[in-house]
């Protein structure tokens, strides 16, 4: 069983569209995260959710909104997609902030 | 926010050689971690360090948490082709309201057979 699973793995969409990326973890971890990896492979944290409560909200545009229906899921909704949103988005989870486990990523391409 | 400087950016080595990469920060971290990312996958944790001065090994990998808590290094001995990938250092403050993990820019390792 995959510990942290993201869907879809690839997403190609036009500018202006709204899209969602889903993430689920079966590790029983209490915190989940979204990271963005740009074309230079730099990883930057976007959001962190602990027990369904947002505890970090980095300076990302409000077009991005995390939604956590329960402790095992953290979905990422993106409205009005822009070319600069093209990147690989990684979901991760941890127990008490230690030893993050990452998903395999969602490559988003905005055309 | 805290900035991690990782070097070198890339390395091209021959199979069997030893590799060393390091990470420095202008801020103190309470936890240092090293991850490896293979193409098309997410980063995978290699080694976690929790105490200043700590030296930890994981097979052919050895990492150290600097005494000042502002740096860490990773060594890989006797490299093999499957060591190819991007290695990231990461630091965490470890406080309740600020436990996010910050990454270095990565070291891209190429191993020639």
């Amino acid at each position: 069983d995959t510990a942290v699973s993201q869907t879809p793995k690839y997403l190609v969409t036009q500018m202006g569209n709204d899209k969602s990326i889903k993430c689920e973890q079966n590790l029983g971890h209490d915190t989940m995260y979204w990271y963005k990896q740009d074309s230079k492979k730099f990883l930057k944290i976007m959001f962190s959710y602990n027990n369904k409560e947002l505890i970090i909200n980095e300076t990302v545009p409000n077009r991005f909104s995390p939604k956590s229906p329960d402790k095992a899921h953290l979905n990422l909704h993106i409205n009005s997609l822009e070319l600069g949103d093209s990147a690989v988005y990684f979901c991760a989870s941890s127990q008490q902030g230690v030893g993050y486990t990452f998903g395999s990523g969602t490559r988003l391409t905005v055309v | 926010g805290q900035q991690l400087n990782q070097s070198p950016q890339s390395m091209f080595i021959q199979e069997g050689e030893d590799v060393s990469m390091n990470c420095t920060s202008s801020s103190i971290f309470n936890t240092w971690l090293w991850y490896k990312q293979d193409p098309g996958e997410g980063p995978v944790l290699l080694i976690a360090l929790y105490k200043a001065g700590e030296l930890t090994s994981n097979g052919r990998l050895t990492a150290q948490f600097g005494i000042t808590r502002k740096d860490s290094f990773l060594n890989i001995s006797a490299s093999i082709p499957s060591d190819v990938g991007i290695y990231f250092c990461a630091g965490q403050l470890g406080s309740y309201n600020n436990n996010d993990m910050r990454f270095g820019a990565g070291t891209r390792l190429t191993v020639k057979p």
Side-chain angles (χ1 to χ4, degrees), chain B residues 8-106:
Chain B
Q9 270 189 332
S10 58
M11 301 183 76
F12 296 84
I13 61 168
Q14 207 70 38
E15 183 177 358
E17 287 183 0
D18 297 343
V19 169
S20 187
M21 57 193 81
N22 69 77
C23 211
T24 60
S25 170
S26 55
S27 306
I28 286 172
F29 285 105
N30 291 324
T31 304
W32 280 93
L33 307 104
W34 286 91
Y35 284 81
K36 184 192 177 198
Q37 185 178 20
D38 290 325
E41 298 296 328
V44 173
L45 181 65
L46 298 173
I47 292 180
L49 302 153
Y50 301 105
K51 214 162 77 167
E54 180 180 353
L55 183 73
T56 296
S57 293
N58 178 6
R60 293 177 296 107
L61 277 60
T62 302
Q64 184 155 32
F65 191 146
I67 289 288
T68 63
R69 294 198 283 155
K70 292 184 178 181
D71 63 308
S72 177
F73 72 74
L74 175 71
N75 286 344
I76 306 173
S77 62
S79 57
I80 59 178
S82 61
D83 290 334
V84 163
I86 304 177
Y87 291 80
F88 291 98
C89 64
Q92 284 181 287
L93 277 179
S95 58
Y96 173 75
N97 60 351
N98 188 4
N99 201 26
D100 60 318
M101 189 160 57
R102 306 284 171 161
F103 283 86

Side-chain angles (χ1 to χ4, degrees), chain A residues 8-61:
Chain A
K9 189 160 177 73
Y10 300 97
L11 183 55
V12 181
T13 187
Q14 288 189 319
M15 274 175 54
N17 282 352
D18 303 337
K19 289 293 176 186
S20 294
I21 307 172
K22 294 186 176 181
C23 180
E24 176 181 3
Q25 55 99 0
N26 62 6
L27 298 166
H29 286 171
D30 56 15
T31 309
M32 295 182 72
Y33 312 84
W34 278 105
Y35 277 80
K36 180 181 179 182
Q37 187 172 47
D38 61 24
S39 57
K40 295 185 178 176
K41 304 298 184 185
F42 188 70
L43 279 156
K44 185 175 178 184
I45 189 165
M46 300 175 70
F47 299 105
S48 171
Y49 253 76
N50 179 278
N51 286 327
K52 296 172 67 173
E53 184 183 346
L54 182 68
I55 57 173
I56 297 173
N57 182 355
E58 293 291 298
T59 54
V60 299

